[in-house]
Amino acid sequence: MMKIVYFSLTGQTRRFVKKTGLDAFEITASNSFTDFDEPYVLIVPTYEKDVVTPVFDFLENGRNAEFCAGVAGGGNRNFAELFVFTAKDIAKDYHVPLLYTFEFNGTEEDVKYIQKVVKSLES
Ligand SMILES: Cc1cc2nc3c(=O)[nH]c(=O)nc-3n(C[C@H](O)[C@H](O)[C@H](O)COP(=O)(O)O)c2cc1C
């Protein structure tokens, strides 16, 4: 089973991930140097770079970037052209697909979609 790796500052992304029921690892400031040795989908909220430092620490650690199968981004469309820029930047910088974008903790439709995407990456 493909795992979810995610970061959440105010709990929205955590709520989204919980709703998917998928096996997940939450990156925090104290575990960001964990070594991953299996493919995973990264789900990140959108903030200035210094706020999401643990995500970049995680990606830079060991072979973690290699095992990233893709990234999904949570954000707020009110930020207009800055909507989900964190996930977009990661997709570009780490050459991984931007799999999906959603707002806050996601709708039922968002949950179903990400479950489908993760399943399709497993086969
Ligand atoms: C200070 C601040 C800056 C934010 N900047 C952006 C942004 O540039 N683009 C965007 O799409 N969302 C932005 N957001 C919205 C969050 O990324 C969004 O609410 C997300 O769901 C929060 O996830 P979390 O609760 O897991 O941390 C910002 C939120 C805050 C509080």
Side-chain angles (χ1 to χ4, degrees):
M1 268 274 271
M2 173 98 48
K3 269 200 182 146
I4 301 295
V5 171
Y6 71 98
F7 178 75
S8 186
L9 197 70
T10 69
Q12 302 274 16
T13 312
R14 186 182 304 117
R15 279 166 66 200
F16 175 66
V17 170
K18 291 242 148 81
K19 288 193 285 187
T20 69
L22 295 164
D23 200 2
F25 173 77
E26 180 174 350
I27 303 171
T28 66
S30 50
N31 71 10
S32 56
F33 294 99
T34 300
D35 269 319
F36 240 67
D37 56 4
E38 57 185 314
Y40 63 89
V41 166
L42 181 65
I43 306 184
V44 289
T46 310
Y47 295 105
E48 290 303 320
K49 206 157 182 175
D50 58 324
V51 178
V52 292
T53 301
V55 175
F56 290 100
D57 288 344
F58 179 85
L59 282 168
E60 291 300 323
N61 190 56
R63 298 175 65 197
N64 290 357
E66 250 177 82
F67 284 111
C68 183
V71 59
N76 174 347
R77 289 192 201 276
N78 289 340
F79 285 89
E81 71 276 8
L82 290 178
F83 179 56
V84 298
F85 76 82
T86 302
K88 286 180 178 171
D89 286 354
I90 289 171
K92 208 161 128 199
D93 294 349
Y94 290 89
H95 310 286
V96 294
L98 178 66
L99 299 170
Y100 196 60
T101 61
F102 60 95
E103 287 189 284
F104 309 113
N105 62 81
T107 62
E108 249 176 72
E109 205 177 310
D110 294 326
V111 169
K112 280 192 190 131
Y113 189 88
I114 203 76
Q115 286 168 332
K116 210 160 84 183
V117 167
V118 170
K119 208 166 190 179
S120 75
L121 288 170
E122 283 170 354
S123 50

